[in-house]
Amino acid sequence: MKAFQLTAWKQGGELREVPEPDPGPGEVLVRIAGAGACHSDLHLMHDFDSGLIPWSLPFTLGHENTGWVEAHGPGVDGLEIGEPVAVYGAWGCGRCARCLVGAENYCEAPDAPSSVVGGLGGNGGMAPLMLVPGSRYLVPLGELDPVEAAPLTDAGLTPYHAVKRSLPLLVPGSTAVVIGVGGLGHLAVQMLSTLSPATVVAVDERDGALALAREVGAHLTVAAGIGAVEEIKSLTGGRGADVVLDLVGSDITLALAGAVVRPLGHLTIVGIAGGTLPVSFFSMGYEVAVTTTYWGTLPELAEVLALAATGRIRARVTRFPLEAAGDAYAAMRAGTLEGRAVVVP
Ligand SMILES: [Zn+2]
Ligand SMILES: [Zn+2]
């Protein structure tokens, strides 16, 4: 079968012929419906030097996946062939304290398998078939459109995890700022609007992204750049934002986030652009909590799918055939993509 793979560092992916995988004991073979193209793949392709991450190449890209159960090896019960499923992408040991509560994204096993998962070090979903190491990573999709649901497993799950931990701050009269309205950002805006009474402010440098933010429920939008800090301050009566989600994570966006977060607020770094935020006693408001997040938990994926099933969130997707997976990343890199690119093998 054909697969879109990362074959070398500091270059784009490549469509290659690979053998069809065969499920061994406990494993499930999924026929892929959709595989989202994530900004982190772009960082993998273009920003990381060889040796920075201990992964061996090549591997098939695509870490946000949906599909149908195609086959399984011995020892797998409770799955129906043909059943539509979302693939939970953070694969932990399943037995440590974090994994036992479904937080396999934060597995603490010494040789945490989660350091190599489908599409991030291991073979992912940008191919007709993908091997999943256990049935617990498959969450029933129900009636959801499998292609539109693919981004929910990362572009949905990751901001959901970040939003959920800050919900106690998002009381009436509060403000949440979303920096970066791409795949994750347009879903973060919808989650904040549906789960909280906060005023949702979206920030991006692209006019199209700000238009999308307004379409999906942002109350206010601010163009990134000079004047953004003052604008957000004035929108919040000088107080700043209770919660700031930085879905980019560059030096510039982190500086903006640090300048507009309100005392006692949360500043959550989700984007992996690799920027730095100097934190000192005087650099930010008092009692601001700065944190990173990585992906979300298994129970949270079920919650995200439930939100989508009730129509409260919906991923805006652009479909690309497998042969055009490279074009999806090119569009993302050029900033011309609206919402999420999904590769449909
Ligand atoms: Zn991702
Ligand atoms: Zn674990």
Side-chain angles (χ1 to χ4, degrees), residues 92-100 103-104 106-109 112-113:
C93 73
R95 303 195 60 194
C96 72
R98 298 294 183 237
C99 285
L100 284 174
E104 300 209 20
Y106 298 143
C107 175
E108 291 177 323

Side-chain angles (χ1 to χ4, degrees), residues 253-273:
T253 58
L254 287 170
L256 170 65
V260 300
V261 66
R262 184 181 184 180
L264 290 165
H266 285 178
L267 192 173
T268 304
I269 305 167
V270 181
I272 61 164

Side-chain angles (χ1 to χ4, degrees), residues 144-240:
L144 285 172
D145 177 304
V147 175
E148 278 188 14
L152 298 178
T153 62
D154 176 18
L157 178 57
T158 299
Y160 182 76
H161 181 78
V163 167
K164 193 175 170 184
R165 66 185 298 280
S166 293
L167 280 179
L169 298 190
L170 296 174
V171 296
S174 66
T175 304
V177 169
V178 175
I179 302 175
V181 189
L184 278 74
H186 87 292
L187 285 161
V189 165
Q190 296 177 57
M191 289 165 184
L192 287 161
S193 322
T194 192
L195 295 174
S196 88
T199 298
V200 180
V201 181
V203 182
D204 203 292
E205 56 188 8
R206 300 163 297 162
D207 291 341
L210 294 178
L212 174 61
R214 284 190 291 272
E215 244 175 82
V216 299
H219 303 103
L220 300 161
T221 55
V222 170
I226 299 164
V229 171
E230 287 68 31
E231 202 176 335
I232 293 168
K233 281 284 182 66
S234 99
L235 290 173
T236 54
R239 293 183 296 270

Side-chain angles (χ1 to χ4, degrees), residues 25-28 30 76 79 87-88 91 131-138:
E27 294 178 332
V28 182
V30 173
V76 175
L79 284 180
V87 180
Y88 176 74
W91 302 339
L131 209 50
V132 177
S135 58
R136 74 171 184 277
Y137 302 127
L138 302 177

Side-chain angles (χ1 to χ4, degrees), residues 14 22 35 41 49 74 80-81 103 105 111 119 132 148 154 166 172 200 211 225 249 259 269 285 287 299 327 336:
E14 193 185 324
D22 205 12
D41 296 333
D49 284 317
E80 268 181 55
I81 302 302
N105 49 326
D111 52 346
V132 177
E148 278 188 14
D154 176 18
S166 293
V200 180
I269 305 167
E287 280 198 56
D327 298 345
T336 55

